[in-house]
Amino acid sequence: MTVYAAIAGLLDYAEARGLIEKDDRTYCSNRLLQMLRMDGPDGEEPAAAAELPELLQTLTDSAVERGVIAEGVVAADLFDSLLMEAVTPFPHEVRRRFREKYAESPRAATDWFYDFSRDTNYIRRDRIAKDRKWVYSGPYGDLDITINLSKPEKDPRAIAAAKLLPQTDYPKCQLCAENEGYAGRVNHPGRSNHRLIPVKIAGEDWYFQYSPYVYYNEHCIVFNSRHIPMKIDRAAFEKLFSFITQFPHYFVGSNADLPIVGGSILSHDHFQGGNYEFAMAKAPVEEEVCFPDCPEIRAGIVRWPMSVLRLRGAEPKRVIDLAERVLNRWRGYSDESVFVLAETDGEPHNTVTPIARRRGEDYELDLVLRNNITTDEYPLGVYHPHQELHHIKKENIGLIEVMGLAVLPSRLKTELEDLKQAMLAGADLRAVPELAPHADWAEEILRRRDFNKENAEAILQEEVGEVFERVLENAGVFKRDNTGRAAFLRFLRAAGAR
């Protein structure tokens, strides 16, 4: 495939998906030629009939060969985002189209914008398809397990180049609105083909976008137009409900606002949502509780490995009133008998992970109780994956994991395959540095299961699911035994339940 055939193929692709019109072709072709530092062909060359990743790869390879860009995945990603920007509509066009679709229905608007975000290659379909995914069915329902392969691996050349760059705080973070159309650099992803939708959330200016990594269907991010820290309070609950009032087919939730139990970007106020029903949303209330001064609110403890109070009612304000009371009581609540301490040495530990959704005309809010205390025995967190599980999951348990989707590190793709072969061969797992952390776990599996070539893959997937189940149980503040249940009910009574 020649470069000119790839350019023509990219223009065909963009026109077929409504990104450009026929009248735009010459203009867009010249934009691409400028980026590639090339002149046009002597004659017309037929378009290549190829998929988008192949077209972009051809153009990027040409740029590398001719010294237009450096080698490496980071430079390639920056450049192909720039190439796609040449066929991506301006923000005002995207926003106008979204408003037109929203006038039809909220679902029509999000359907269109999700397809648009994939068609522009902001969401890289080819990389998302490489993620390993399966479902683990256990006592808490069907937990989603994924090994994340869509984020590019760290490029040593880019890491070295980043050290030579001058310090800059533009954009302040990867969520800021200034990312829209930003070309990127070796230590900040290219967002040339990125587009945002302005939304009003509880009267404030926010933006709506999709996650480029799409951990689940229509994985969206809603973020404040201002770069301000996350905070869980009444205003946060009001914003969550404001969003699901405008987009009732989506759920939306927030990471907690404290380290260890919070998300990766605590510095910028944001939520995550989407068109997906997680196992936690399907989990039933196993014990109802009553708040006498809120008789219209249905409340109860959810059958889930973490400590979840579910509130449901027809009037958003009344649900928010009760949620605020529970949150405020939790912020200062201690129960030393089950090692729940609201603060130590002036450092607060208690917060919640809230998730909101619609149930018909009702508003439903799950409050997941969180505590980020650490000890000498558990330096990464008492209510965090414990050390014996770190060979599978060591990272923080954020909103997505809380709801029942394990986002596991990419290293496990190779490690689990190598582990499977070593277990089948009876190899010494402790002699292989990459497999040694899995040795205790693997040996215990071999003791209690008939592990053979036919079932090895299925057994390892099931066992990884069980590890994630234990991860969530570790993160639960009130444990799922008689002592923990009694402690959970004591807290709810302290918050006004009867």
Side-chain angles (χ1 to χ4, degrees), residues 285-290 298-301 489 498:
V285 167
E286 63 182 357
E287 184 161 356
E288 294 185 356
V289 295
C290 173
R298 281 163 283 173
I301 296 171
L489 291 172
R498 296 294 180 266

Side-chain angles (χ1 to χ4, degrees), residues 72-129:
V73 66
V74 172
D77 282 359
L78 293 172
F79 189 68
D80 71 16
S81 295
L82 189 65
L83 293 173
M84 287 305 301
E85 193 273 336
V87 296
T88 298
F90 282 109
H92 77 272
E93 299 174 89
V94 177
R95 295 169 185 185
R96 182 181 66 237
R97 184 66 168 154
F98 186 88
R99 289 192 297 269
E100 292 170 352
K101 288 292 184 179
Y102 190 87
E104 298 175 22
S105 72
R107 186 182 293 272
T110 57
D111 283 352
W112 173 81
F113 189 46
Y114 187 58
D115 286 342
F116 171 87
S117 298
R118 293 187 293 176
D119 289 342
T120 60
N121 209 42
Y122 173 69
I123 296 172
R124 296 174 181 263
R125 286 186 176 102
D126 58 321
R127 288 189 182 164
I128 302 298

Side-chain angles (χ1 to χ4, degrees), residues 366-393:
D366 285 350
L367 299 177
V368 187
L369 305 182
R370 312 300 301 276
N371 181 289
N372 75 345
I373 195 168
T374 62
T375 63
D376 290 341
E377 184 180 3
Y378 299 111
L380 297 182
V382 173
Y383 304 107
H384 178 86
H386 290 176
Q387 285 89 327
E388 69 272 14
L389 307 179
H390 287 180
H391 65 106
I392 297 294
K393 179 69 174 176

Side-chain angles (χ1 to χ4, degrees), residues 3 39 46 129 137 161 164 255 273 289 323 343 349 364 379 402 427 435 488:
V3 171
D39 288 326
S137 297
L164 304 177
N255 269 302
V289 295
E343 60 86 22
H349 297 305
E364 187 171 272
V402 163
L435 301 184
F488 199 164

Side-chain angles (χ1 to χ4, degrees), residues 239-478:
K239 292 166 189 170
L240 293 172
F241 277 13
S242 174
F243 180 81
I244 61 172
T245 297
Q246 297 175 69
F247 299 94
H249 58 300
Y250 272 16
F251 82 89
V252 69
S254 175
N255 269 302
D257 55 356
L258 292 177
I260 297 177
V261 296
S264 58
I265 306 180
L266 293 177
S267 61
H268 197 132
D269 194 15
H270 71 284
F271 305 142
Q272 295 182 77
N275 188 12
Y276 190 72
E277 189 172 35
F278 288 88
M280 193 180 82
K282 299 175 185 176
V285 167
E286 63 182 357
E287 184 161 356
E288 294 185 356
V289 295
C290 173
F291 290 86
D293 56 342
C294 301
E296 75 280 21
I297 304 299
R298 281 163 283 173
I301 296 171
V302 178
R303 182 163 63 81
W304 193 244
M306 298 180 70
S307 306
V308 186
L309 174 68
R310 179 167 294 163
L311 307 176
R312 178 173 173 177
E315 176 51 53
K317 181 181 181 301
R318 293 294 288 159
V319 179
I320 291 169
D321 287 344
L322 182 52
E324 181 186 25
R325 184 208 304 175
V326 172
L327 170 65
N328 290 341
R329 189 67 185 90
W330 177 243
R331 290 281 194 191
Y333 185 79
S334 294
D335 185 342
E336 294 186 8
S337 71
V338 287
F339 202 67
V340 171
L341 302 178
E343 60 86 22
T344 53
D345 299 324
E347 179 186 351
H349 297 305
N350 288 349
T351 184
V352 301
T353 299
I355 301 103
R357 64 186 74 88
R358 298 292 296 273
R359 296 293 192 190
E361 295 300 310
D362 284 354
Y363 288 76
E364 187 171 272
L365 183 66
D366 285 350
L367 299 177
V368 187
L369 305 182
R370 312 300 301 276
N371 181 289
N372 75 345
I373 195 168
T374 62
T375 63
D376 290 341
E377 184 180 3
Y378 299 111
L380 297 182
V382 173
Y383 304 107
H384 178 86
H386 290 176
Q387 285 89 327
E388 69 272 14
L389 307 179
H390 287 180
H391 65 106
I392 297 294
K393 179 69 174 176
K394 183 178 182 180
E395 300 77 15
N396 291 354
I397 303 306
L399 171 68
I400 294 173
E401 286 89 359
V402 163
M403 295 185 293
L405 191 157
V407 181
L408 302 179
S410 59
R411 62 176 172 82
L412 287 177
K413 177 180 183 290
T414 302
E415 288 179 14
L416 289 176
E417 178 60 31
D418 292 347
L419 181 67
K420 179 180 72 175
Q421 298 302 331
M423 291 169 70
L424 289 170
D428 180 3
L429 303 178
R430 300 177 195 280
V432 183
E434 293 78 15
L435 301 184
H438 299 292
D440 289 345
W441 177 63
E443 289 167 0
E444 194 269 334
I445 292 172
L446 291 172
R447 279 194 296 271
R448 61 183 170 79
R449 305 202 62 164
D450 177 18
F451 192 84
N452 56 60
K453 187 176 181 179
E454 285 68 35
N455 65 16
E457 183 78 13
I459 285 177
L460 282 180
Q461 288 188 354
E462 183 179 340
E463 294 289 340
V464 168
E466 289 187 11
V467 169
F468 179 56
E469 186 177 274
R470 290 172 60 198
V471 162
L472 294 180
E473 290 173 340
N474 285 174
V477 177
F478 297 120

Side-chain angles (χ1 to χ4, degrees), residues 121-255:
N121 209 42
Y122 173 69
I123 296 172
R124 296 174 181 263
R125 286 186 176 102
D126 58 321
R127 288 189 182 164
I128 302 298
K130 295 177 182 177
D131 287 349
R132 293 279 309 278
K133 298 181 179 181
W134 67 91
V135 174
Y136 164 73
S137 297
Y140 304 111
D142 292 340
L143 302 182
D144 295 301
I145 313 295
T146 180
I147 298 176
N148 172 40
L149 303 173
S150 53
K151 284 187 180 180
E153 294 291 332
K154 299 290 185 182
D155 185 337
R157 288 166 292 199
I159 293 171
K163 293 179 180 178
L164 304 177
L165 289 178
Q167 294 296 312
T168 178
D169 62 353
Y170 183 88
K172 287 186 173 67
C173 76
Q174 292 187 26
L175 288 179
C176 286
E178 289 78 14
N179 282 280
E180 186 177 37
Y182 183 59
R185 53 185 188 269
V186 292
N187 58 358
H188 192 102
R191 294 291 183 250
S192 302
N193 54 341
H194 181 34
R195 297 296 181 262
L196 302 173
I197 302 298
V199 289
K200 283 285 186 183
I201 301 294
E204 295 183 2
D205 292 330
W206 281 50
Y207 288 99
F208 172 88
Q209 68 170 70
Y210 286 103
S211 166
Y213 307 114
V214 193
Y215 292 134
Y216 50 86
N217 187 48
E218 297 177 48
H219 178 183
C220 71
I221 301 172
V222 194
F223 63 94
N224 201 313
S225 63
R226 297 176 296 152
H227 182 80
I228 59 174
M230 294 182 65
K231 184 178 181 182
I232 302 298
D233 56 9
R234 181 187 181 89
F237 300 149
E238 290 172 342
K239 292 166 189 170
L240 293 172
F241 277 13
S242 174
F243 180 81
I244 61 172
T245 297
Q246 297 175 69
F247 299 94
H249 58 300
Y250 272 16
F251 82 89
V252 69
S254 175
N255 269 302

